[in-house]
Amino acid sequence: MQIDATFRSIARLTKKWPGRAVGPHGVARYLNSGGTLPPILWFFNAEQEPVNFHAALNPEQQFVALRSLNLIMKPSLERDEVGAKMAGHLADALTGMLPRDIALVGGNCQGAPYAICLAQRLMDLGHDIKSVAAIDTIPDRAITVPALLNFGVEAPERNPFMQDQYVTQKRVENLFPAYEQASLPCGHGQYFRAENLPYLIANIENFIGTRIRAEEHL
């Protein structure tokens, strides 16, 4: 079965990641599972990214590190289909250990579309997803959850708002009920460096906080 082989390939690349191995073949890592803050789930593309991200998080922040298909499959429609199936299987496997409320599901670059698929499946399973997030891409999948869209200022070619703001704005409005465009002071692939992480964490925490405050006033 292709999806099982895919999980085996991912597991070989995540075996040194920190945290408790969860999901099919232990492909994901659950960290700070006893924390008081609802979890962030994130799809990464490289080994050091989740390590650095976790180190910068609030110790009370529950966190699930996941991996994209980077280095496993070349970009293609087939990879998109496999990634969507992978996200669905992950949601089914993780739902029993996750709390109902989930603060954010996100991913950088090619991991972002999988984040939307995962978030949607978790919603179908009864979870309350507060928000989704992406870096240097706009996932072309609609979901009824507010989106945080981060872009590196040194990689304007990755930011569709810089190419055609009107068309991009209309496109994003059709994908998400609300969104925020945020900046990172770096180029593509540099978001998880020590000097840039505080800006990413601040963007995420501010966005999550805005969602929580909005719900409190309903």
Side-chain angles (χ1 to χ4, degrees):
M1 182 178 176
Q2 183 181 20
I3 196 68
D4 186 69
T6 299
F7 281 130
R8 290 180 182 275
S9 296
I10 295 173
R12 286 194 289 271
L13 295 174
T14 61
K15 63 183 179 181
K16 294 183 180 179
W17 284 15
R20 176 164 58 97
V22 295
H25 298 290
V27 295
R29 292 294 187 276
Y30 202 157
L31 299 105
N32 300 349
S33 57
T36 59
L37 298 175
I40 290 173
L41 284 64
W42 197 277
F43 279 95
F44 298 93
N45 296 320
E47 181 176 349
Q48 197 59 33
E49 292 176 348
V51 177
N52 294 351
F53 190 74
H54 173 245
L57 287 175
N58 184 320
E60 291 297 321
Q61 177 67 67
Q62 295 185 52
F63 170 50
V64 180
L66 306 142
R67 197 188 189 286
S68 75
L69 296 177
N70 181 45
L71 301 180
I72 295 173
M73 296 182 69
K74 294 180 179 180
S76 65
L77 290 176
E78 180 186 12
R79 187 179 75 172
D80 294 342
E81 293 173 359
V82 171
K85 290 179 181 178
M86 172 188 72
H89 282 278
L90 284 168
D92 291 346
L94 296 175
T95 184
M97 65 188 73
L98 292 171
R100 179 181 179 275
D101 290 349
I102 295 175
L104 179 140
V105 183
N108 42 300
C109 193
Q110 62 185 269
Y114 310 145
I116 304 300
C117 294
L118 178 68
Q120 183 60 63
R121 178 57 182 160
L122 287 171
M123 289 171 65
D124 294 342
L125 293 169
H127 292 274
D128 184 2
I129 308 295
K130 306 299 183 183
S131 55
V132 294
I135 305 177
D136 275 359
T137 189
I138 298 174
D140 204 15
R141 293 178 179 272
I143 190 170
T144 57
V145 173
L148 171 65
L149 304 174
N150 300 273
F151 296 99
V153 296
E154 295 178 9
E157 72 281 359
R158 296 274 179 170
N159 186 349
F161 287 98
M162 300 290 288
Q163 316 308 319
D164 192 324
Q165 183 172 355
Y166 178 79
V167 170
T168 302
Q169 181 175 331
K170 291 300 181 183
R171 174 188 164 203
V172 173
E173 288 174 350
N174 287 329
L175 292 171
F176 312 109
Y179 75 95
E180 178 181 317
Q181 186 185 168
S183 297
L184 298 171
C186 58
H188 184 66
Q190 301 173 0
Y191 351 96
F192 296 99
R193 293 182 179 177
E195 66 271 22
N196 299 323
L197 258 174
Y199 299 95
L200 175 59
I201 297 295
N203 288 351
I204 289 172
E205 290 182 345
N206 289 338
F207 193 69
I208 291 173
T210 299
R211 307 274 73 75
I212 292 174
R213 289 191 293 273
E215 284 194 357
E216 290 174 347
H217 285 85
L218 289 179

